[in-house]
Amino acid sequence: MIDLNFLKTSVFKNLRDGKLIRHSNSIQHIITLPQWRAEEFQSDLQDSLNVSGSCKSADRSWNLRLNGNKLFKQKLYLKALRMYSKAVLYASDPQGESSTQLSLAYANRSAALYFLQHWKHVIEDVDHAIEHGYPAELRYKLLIRKGESLKNVRRKEDAIEALECASQSLKKSNLSSTEVKAKQERISQLLVSCHQLHDGQPHACNNGKDDEDVQMRLNPKLQNAAIQVTLGHSVEKGRYLLANADINPGDILIRERAFAAVLLNADHEVTHCHYCCTRTLSLITCHHCPHVQYCSKVCRDTAWQKHHWIECSMWNILNQVGTFSHLGLRIVLNANILSNSSITAFLGTMPLSTNQIAGCSADGHYRADYPAMYSLQTHTDLQAMEDVWEAHLNGFLMSMCIYLIQHKGEITDWESLLADPEVCSLATLIGHHTLQMRCNIHAITSVQTKDDSSVDCSPSNLVETMEQVRVASAVYPTTSLMNHGCDPNVIASFHDDEITIRATKQINEGEEICHCYGPHVNHMSPTERRVLLKEQYYFNCQCTACISSDNKACDSSWAFKCSECSQPATLSDGDLECTDASCAHRGDASRSVKLKEKANQLLQEGTILMDSGYYQKCLECLHQSLDILEEVLYKHHRAISEVQDSLARCYAETGDLLRSAEHLEKAIIIVKKVYGDGSIEVAQELHKLAQVLFNGRQVARAKPVITEALHLLSGYYGDSHETVQELLEMETCLMVLY
C-alpha cells in the first residue's frame, strides 16, 4: 500500500527549512524529490493500482450475508439491510454472466426492505436478484414478494403478472405438495386483493421535482440561472450576481447540477449513488470494485465513462489525498481533459484570452463549462504554503497514477515518466482545481432518518430520527458566482446533486443576490463572522449586516437578565448593565456567568444521557439547566430555546408527546423573537412540532401548525422537498381520517 506521509514529510521539511517559497513552479520542485525514484515506492504504487476486480470477495460477501441473516432474525432490519448492502458490494459481478453470491445478496436485501415496507426498492432488488441468476427452484419466493410490493404501490397489472409468474415458478420448486398448496393459497389471496384495486388509484406521494409549482425561465447568457439574474463585475467585488428585474420571495434563481461531487464518508457509500448522490436503498455495485454503488445502470455506466474507469483502480490513493484533491481529479476527468492530444497545449489555453468577464466565452456567455470551472478563484497567494504544496503533490501523484493506468503499469523508464510534460501539465490542472475547493466547495445536504438499531415505528422514534445530513461535497460553477451576505436574500436546497437557489425575500432590480457561505447574522456575532470569513475566504466582510451591526444596540437574544427589572442586561467590565434606561441597574456579573456555565454543562450532560438512552436522568439535567437559565438569562435568550428543544426531544423519546409539544411551543416563541416569524429557523421548529402533534393525534392543534410550516417551507424549498412532502402527507392523512 502506498503511503503519502513520507512524500509530505520531505516537502514540509523543506518548507520549515525555508528551502521552498510560494511560486508557480511547484511541480518542477516536486518531481525532484528522491522518494519518487525509490524502487520500493515504485513497486508499492503499481501494487496499489493493481486492485481492479481484486477486492471483490465471494467469501467476504458470504460472511456479510451470514451476519445480515443473524440481524434479520433479531428483527434488526436496518442493520441487516446495511450488512446485505455490503454483501452486494463484495460479491463478484461478471458482466453478462450470472453470479450466485450477488443474486443471493440482492434477494436477502429485498427481504429486509420488505419488512421495512420500502416497496419500490423491494421490486428493484428482486429484479436484480433474478437478473443475476437467483436459483430457479427458489424464485417463487421473490416473485411473491415482488407481487405483493407491486400491489402495495397500486401497480395492479404488474402485480398480477408477477404473482402469476410466482404460481408458475412453484412448479420448479422443491417444496412438498402441502407446502405448494399453502403458497398457492397465498398467491390466490394476493390476486384477489389485486383485482379489487381500482385503475387510476393514486400512487405514493411523488418526491420528484417534476411537479415543481414554480418554473424557472432560463437565462440564455448565464447558464443554469433565471432570466431575472445577470452577471456583474467590479474591481472591488470581482464577479457577482444581481437582479435585472424585481424578484419575489420563492422565485427560483439558479438550478444547477454539480460539475463534480464526491460522497463524504463511508456511511453514505451504501445509501447514496456515487454518481448523482440520490438516496436509495437498492443500490447496484460496480462490476470491478467494492468501493462504489449506483442507483441505476445509467448512473453506473455514465460514471464509468466519465471518471470511474480511472478512479476504480486508484481508490486506495483517493482515500489518502482527501476530498479536495479527489474533487480536483474528478473535475478534470468529468471535463474529459484526457481526450486532448496534448494536455500541455490545452493548459496553455487556460485561462481563455478574452476581453470578457473571466469564465465567459468570446460572445460574453457564461456557460458553466470547463473554462468557467477553471476561472473560479484559487486564492493561491493567500492560502497556507503547506496547503498549496500538498495540493500539487497530490496532483502529481494522481497524474502519475493516471499515466500508469493508461499504460497498464508497463513503465520501464521512471525518470522519463517523472519529467514527462504531459504528466506535469495534468498535475498542474489537478492541483489548480484542488486549490479552488477551499473557497468554492458546497456541501450537499439531505433530510434523513438516523440509523436506528431496530425498526421502531413508534411516534417518538419517527419524530426524533429526522436530521439534516451532509452527504457530499460538490462544486457548481454558476452558484459559485454569488458573493457572501451574512443576511442573505437566497437559500439553497438540494435534490440529489442538483442545487436550487430560491429568493427568501424581495430583491429589487439592481440589488445584489447574496448567499451565506456559513457565518450567518442569526447565528454568530459580527466579530465571529468576520474572523471565520477572513480565515476561510480571505476577505473582510463589509455586507450590510456587518456594517449596520457595528453600531447596533444590545441583541437581547444573547443578553443576561437584569436582577432588578428582568429586562436585557449586557456584560461590561465584569458587571451586568441593564439596557433599560429607566432602570440602568449595574451589578456584579460573576454569579450569573458561573450559573450560565453550570447550565451549559448540565445541557451537555443531558444530551449525552439522552443519546445513551437514560431519559429520566436526562430530563433531570435538562430541567435543572432550564431553571438556571431562566433565572439568569433574558427570557428570549437563544440558550433557553435550545434547552426547551432538547426537552422536547427527550419527552418524544419517552413517548410523552404532549409534554414534547409544550416545550416545542415555548421554544418557538423564542425562535420567532430571535429570527423572525417567517425565518427558516421558525419553519424548521414548526416542522418538528407538526410531527409531534400529528403522531400524538392532536388533530385540532396539528392542522394550523402544518399549514404554517407548509407555507414557510414550500417558499424556502419548493413542494418537492422532503420536509414539504412529509407535511403534505400529514395534511392529506388528517383530511381523510379526521
Side-chain angles (χ1 to χ4, degrees):
M1 175 77 69
I2 192 71
D3 183 0
L4 284 181
N5 288 329
F6 80 108
L7 288 170
K8 294 178 184 178
T9 298
S10 177
V11 171
F12 293 159
K13 181 180 184 302
N14 286 339
L15 277 173
R16 289 191 298 271
D17 294 344
K19 297 177 182 178
L20 298 181
I21 60 173
R22 192 186 304 275
H23 55 71
S24 59
N25 293 321
S26 304
I27 298 298
Q28 296 305 314
H29 172 80
I30 285 170
I31 64 176
T32 65
L33 293 175
Q35 286 89 337
W36 301 115
R37 295 159 177 82
E39 290 186 8
E40 183 180 358
F41 166 79
Q42 295 172 5
S43 176
D44 287 348
L45 181 59
Q46 289 177 309
D47 289 344
S48 292
L49 297 177
N50 189 29
V51 298
S52 183
S54 64
C55 288
K56 295 281 189 177
S57 168
D59 288 341
R60 187 166 183 181
S61 179
W62 177 272
N63 289 327
L64 286 165
R65 278 201 315 107
L66 291 181
N67 290 334
N69 292 342
K70 293 176 183 177
L71 295 166
F72 186 89
K73 289 177 181 178
Q74 298 174 55
K75 299 184 178 181
L76 300 174
Y77 300 124
L78 284 171
K79 287 191 173 182
L81 178 67
R82 282 189 172 274
M83 205 62 67
Y84 292 143
S85 289
K86 290 180 180 179
V88 168
L89 277 173
Y90 283 95
S92 60
D93 182 18
Q95 291 176 266
E97 300 178 22
S98 62
S99 169
T100 302
Q101 283 293 339
L102 187 55
S103 70
L104 292 173
Y106 279 131
N108 285 155
R109 192 169 70 180
S110 75
L113 290 165
Y114 174 86
F115 281 96
L116 290 168
Q117 300 183 9
H118 290 292
W119 311 121
K120 172 180 173 289
H121 299 310
V122 171
I123 297 163
E124 292 172 347
D125 266 4
V126 167
D127 288 342
H128 294 326
I130 293 174
E131 177 188 356
H132 287 87
Y134 190 75
E137 66 274 14
L138 300 174
R139 200 163 293 180
Y140 68 91
K141 295 193 297 184
L142 297 189
L143 291 169
I144 293 174
R145 190 176 298 155
K146 179 181 178 181
E148 186 172 355
S149 299
L150 287 164
K151 175 185 75 73
N152 289 334
V153 296
R154 294 175 170 83
R155 288 169 56 182
K156 177 179 177 179
E157 298 303 324
D158 292 337
I160 291 171
E161 180 182 354
L163 291 169
E164 288 175 346
C165 288
S167 181
Q168 292 298 316
S169 292
L170 278 172
K171 298 175 182 178
K172 299 179 182 180
S173 72
N174 297 324
L175 299 177
S176 66
S177 57
T178 303
E179 291 170 326
V180 169
K181 183 178 179 181
K183 296 296 181 184
Q184 286 286 13
E185 289 177 357
R186 174 61 179 151
I187 293 171
S188 298
Q189 292 170 356
L190 289 171
L191 284 169
V192 170
S193 298
C194 288
H195 287 295
Q196 291 173 347
L197 289 175
H198 298 294
D199 291 331
Q201 273 187 263
H203 288 203
C205 193
N206 179 18
N207 289 323
K209 60 182 176 6
D210 297 334
D211 295 333
E212 187 63 62
D213 57 330
V214 181
Q215 297 299 321
M216 182 179 75
R217 290 180 58 203
L218 292 174
N219 191 321
K221 293 186 176 181
L222 183 55
Q223 187 75 25
N224 304 315
I227 194 70
Q228 308 102 301
V229 181
T230 191
L231 175 59
H233 180 270
S234 70
V235 176
E236 299 79 16
K237 292 184 177 181
R239 295 176 297 181
Y240 60 93
L241 299 182
L242 70 158
N244 57 30
D246 290 345
I247 295 171
N248 298 315
D251 284 355
I252 298 176
L253 305 183
I254 297 173
R255 181 174 278 157
E256 183 175 20
R257 290 289 303 272
F259 195 97
V262 171
L263 292 183
L264 280 177
N265 58 52
D267 289 341
H268 304 308
E269 289 181 355
V270 293
T271 58
H272 287 76
C273 177
H274 273 72
Y275 180 69
C276 72
C277 300
T278 190
R279 188 170 189 267
T280 179
L281 299 175
S282 54
L283 291 158
I284 61 175
T285 183
C286 168
H287 290 300
H288 308 284
C289 76
H291 308 303
V292 296
Q293 293 193 105
Y294 302 99
C295 65
S296 66
K297 293 179 181 178
V298 172
C299 278
R300 178 172 63 187
D301 294 345
T302 305
W304 183 263
Q305 293 166 5
K306 284 193 170 185
H307 55 254
H308 196 58
W309 68 281
I310 288 290
E311 292 184 359
C312 188
S313 294
M314 47 186 299
W315 208 258
N316 290 332
I317 305 292
L318 295 175
N319 283 336
Q320 295 188 65
V321 298
T323 301
F324 283 11
S325 289
H326 191 169
L327 271 170
L329 170 67
R330 190 161 288 186
I331 288 168
V332 168
L333 295 176
N334 285 354
N336 199 24
I337 301 302
L338 298 184
S339 66
N340 286 278
S341 58
S342 171
I343 296 175
T344 303
F346 175 79
L347 179 60
T349 67
M350 298 284 127
L352 293 180
S353 176
T354 175
N355 294 324
Q356 304 294 330
I357 297 174
C360 292
S361 55
D363 58 6
H365 290 200
Y366 187 89
R367 292 188 166 85
D369 50 9
Y370 184 74
M373 183 67 243
Y374 187 91
S375 73
L376 297 181
Q377 288 284 351
T378 61
H379 293 297
T380 303
D381 56 329
L382 298 174
Q383 293 200 46
M385 286 184 64
E386 290 86 352
D387 294 337
V388 174
W389 283 95
E390 184 172 359
H392 289 299
L393 179 69
N394 290 341
F396 188 74
L397 175 63
M398 289 188 286
S399 181
M400 287 182 62
C401 290
I402 291 171
Y403 189 93
L404 289 168
I405 292 168
Q406 288 179 314
H407 292 79
K408 304 185 186 304
E410 298 174 0
I411 301 299
T412 57
D413 186 353
W414 277 80
E415 201 61 43
S416 296
L417 171 63
L418 292 170
D420 191 327
E422 292 293 279
V423 174
C424 295
S425 295
L426 181 58
T428 300
L429 283 175
I430 297 172
H432 173 83
H433 293 304
T434 299
L435 292 169
Q436 288 176 323
M437 294 304 102
R438 183 174 180 87
C439 297
N440 293 286
I441 204 167
H442 286 76
I444 295 177
T445 60
S446 175
V447 177
Q448 296 178 16
T449 352
K450 291 181 182 177
D451 187 9
D452 300 333
S453 59
S454 64
V455 180
D456 179 3
C457 294
S458 66
S460 62
N461 182 269
L462 290 173
V463 169
E464 212 18 48
T465 56
M466 299 304 294
E467 63 176 354
Q468 190 88 358
V469 176
R470 295 183 64 170
V471 173
S473 291
V475 61
Y476 300 89
T478 301
T479 301
S480 292
L481 295 172
M482 287 187 293
N483 279 337
H484 167 78
C486 292
D487 186 13
N489 48 24
V490 298
I491 193 170
S493 61
F494 295 90
H495 179 87
D496 304 335
D497 71 334
E498 183 178 77
I499 191 171
T500 298
I501 304 294
R502 280 183 174 82
T504 57
K505 57 184 74 172
Q506 184 71 29
I507 306 175
N508 297 322
E509 182 179 357
E511 187 178 347
E512 186 173 358
I513 297 166
C514 292
H515 177 49
C516 181
Y517 291 0
H520 196 285
V521 66
N522 287 338
H523 301 285
M524 294 182 185
S525 69
T527 301
E528 290 174 315
R529 299 197 305 269
R530 283 171 168 164
V531 167
L532 287 173
L533 289 167
K534 184 68 173 178
E535 286 179 351
Q536 181 162 355
Y537 298 99
Y538 312 110
F539 68 89
N540 294 308
C541 190
Q542 295 296 319
C543 73
T544 304
C546 283
I547 295 172
S548 62
S549 60
D550 286 339
N551 301 309
K552 191 176 180 180
C554 166
D555 182 353
S556 61
S557 68
W558 298 105
F560 284 87
K561 181 167 67 175
C562 175
S563 59
E564 294 293 318
C565 68
S566 298
Q567 291 302 302
T570 59
L571 280 170
S572 176
D573 298 326
D575 288 341
L576 283 179
E577 185 176 346
C578 183
T579 59
D580 188 338
S582 64
C583 175
H585 175 74
R586 188 181 182 101
D588 182 64
S590 58
R591 177 178 179 274
S592 294
V593 171
K594 288 179 180 178
L595 285 173
K596 183 174 181 290
E597 291 174 353
K598 181 180 179 181
N600 289 338
Q601 182 62 38
L602 286 166
L603 173 59
Q604 293 175 13
E605 292 175 7
T607 302
I608 294 171
L609 289 166
M610 180 164 33
D611 291 341
S612 301
Y614 298 107
Y615 302 123
Q616 194 54 48
K617 291 182 178 180
C618 167
L619 289 172
E620 292 173 6
C621 285
L622 294 180
H623 277 294
Q624 288 180 52
S625 177
L626 181 61
D627 290 342
I628 293 171
L629 293 178
E630 289 181 332
E631 177 188 346
V632 300
L633 300 183
Y634 182 60
K635 62 182 178 180
H636 294 149
H637 198 289
R638 301 162 190 247
I640 297 177
S641 68
E642 184 181 353
V643 177
Q644 294 282 18
D645 200 67
S646 295
L647 280 164
R649 290 177 53 209
C650 194
Y651 277 117
E653 284 286 7
T654 65
D656 191 344
L657 298 184
L658 290 180
R659 294 286 293 276
S660 177
E662 290 173 7
H663 286 285
L664 274 175
E665 287 167 340
K666 292 176 181 178
I668 289 172
I669 292 172
I670 299 175
V671 172
K672 285 185 174 182
K673 289 288 185 182
V674 174
Y675 302 112
D677 290 352
S679 65
I680 185 63
E681 290 82 6
V682 168
Q684 291 165 344
E685 288 297 303
L686 287 169
H687 175 228
K688 287 188 280 188
L689 179 58
Q691 290 177 310
V692 171
L693 294 173
F694 177 84
N695 288 301
R697 301 181 184 275
Q698 300 297 304
V699 179
R701 294 168 65 188
K703 284 183 176 179
V705 174
I706 291 173
T707 300
E708 187 179 359
L710 271 173
H711 171 72
L712 293 176
L713 287 168
S714 60
Y716 281 115
Y717 296 135
D719 287 346
S720 65
H721 196 263
E722 300 101 318
T723 53
V724 177
Q725 288 288 315
E726 182 188 6
L727 289 164
L728 287 169
E729 289 178 358
M730 290 183 196
E731 187 177 58
T732 301
C733 183
L734 292 180
M735 290 173 62
V736 172
L737 298 179
Y738 303 101

